[in-house]
Amino acid sequence: PTLLPIALVGEPILRQTAITVHHFDAELVHLAEQMSASMDAANGVGIAAPQVHSPLALFIMASRPNERYPDAPNMAPVVVVNPQIINASSELVSGEEGCLSVPGQRFTIQRHQAIEVRYQNLQGEWQQTELTGFIARIFQHEFDHLQGITLLERSL
Ligand SMILES: O=C(O)C[C@@H](Cc1ccccc1)[C@H](O)SCc1ccccc1
Ligand SMILES: [Zn+2]
């Protein structure tokens, strides 16, 4: 798959609300493959479609241990389509985040420690699960991208 250029903060696409995916076709699979390759090339643990100039409500999350989160779980990349956050813990945790659209900067961001989420996979099948810790953090970060929100609007 080809590597896609990453939109930088300030580009309008990052301020738009993403549109619902209705067609679970080969084109969607191809976009997910290109996003995954672009995320890996940029050494990210997540990437949202608007970051590669696609307006669709779709992101990838892929946790792995890293210098900031050495005990993060090693997780196979998950494609998340049309996500919803159904419930969020009142408990918030602060942590460092980066963003591929704000290169070279780190921000201290508060996130819900646990979230109940619902989303479709690439086949359009609904999944529902609870996420906690670093994976919940990545989900909330990517979910923000689909609402047109970046770290700059959230940093403490
Ligand atoms: O810009 C993005 O959406 C990808 C971010 C995802 C991320 C969100 C929250 C916390 C960490 C990462 C990139 O992965 S930024 C690079 C990175 C990788 C591991 C840990 C911290 C930052
Ligand atoms: Zn980001």
Side-chain angles (χ1 to χ4, degrees):
T2 47
L3 301 186
L4 302 172
I6 304 277
L8 298 179
V9 72
E11 291 187 55
I13 185 86
L14 291 176
R15 311 267 312 152
Q16 292 164 9
T17 299
I19 52 180
T20 302
V21 171
H22 295 288
H23 304 294
F24 292 82
D25 54 19
E27 242 183 81
L28 193 72
V29 172
H30 187 232
L31 174 60
E33 285 166 348
Q34 291 184 308
M35 286 171 61
S36 198
S38 306
M39 175 185 74
D40 291 345
N43 215 10
V45 290
I47 193 166
Q51 292 181 284
V52 291
H53 299 90
S54 161
L56 296 179
L58 158 73
F59 64 74
I60 295 178
M61 58 179 186
S63 166
R64 56 170 160 70
N66 56 85
E67 68 282 358
R68 268 162 211 78
Y69 300 86
D71 50 3
N74 247 311
M75 176 187 122
V78 176
V79 180
V80 175
V81 185
N82 300 330
Q84 304 161 0
I85 297 181
I86 304 171
N87 264 314
S89 63
S90 48
E91 186 191 355
L92 300 175
V93 281
S94 275
E96 264 208 359
E97 295 187 16
C99 183
L100 301 178
S101 299
V102 192
Q105 296 193 49
R106 292 279 184 255
F107 301 84
T108 302
I109 305 286
Q110 280 196 321
R111 298 288 186 183
H112 298 285
Q113 162 58 18
I115 51 174
E116 179 85 25
V117 302
R118 195 164 172 272
Y119 61 89
Q120 288 173 277
N121 63 17
L122 273 175
Q123 289 74 38
E125 297 152 346
W126 283 101
Q127 321 287 313
Q128 179 156 338
T129 185
E130 178 172 6
L131 304 175
T132 60
F134 186 53
I135 299 178
R137 179 175 294 276
I138 299 173
F139 192 102
Q140 292 170 79
H141 178 112
E142 306 308 336
F143 187 79
D144 273 353
H145 276 306
L146 303 186
Q147 321 306 315
I149 299 168
T150 66
L151 289 185
L152 297 180
E153 285 89 52
R154 276 208 185 275
S155 57
L156 291 177

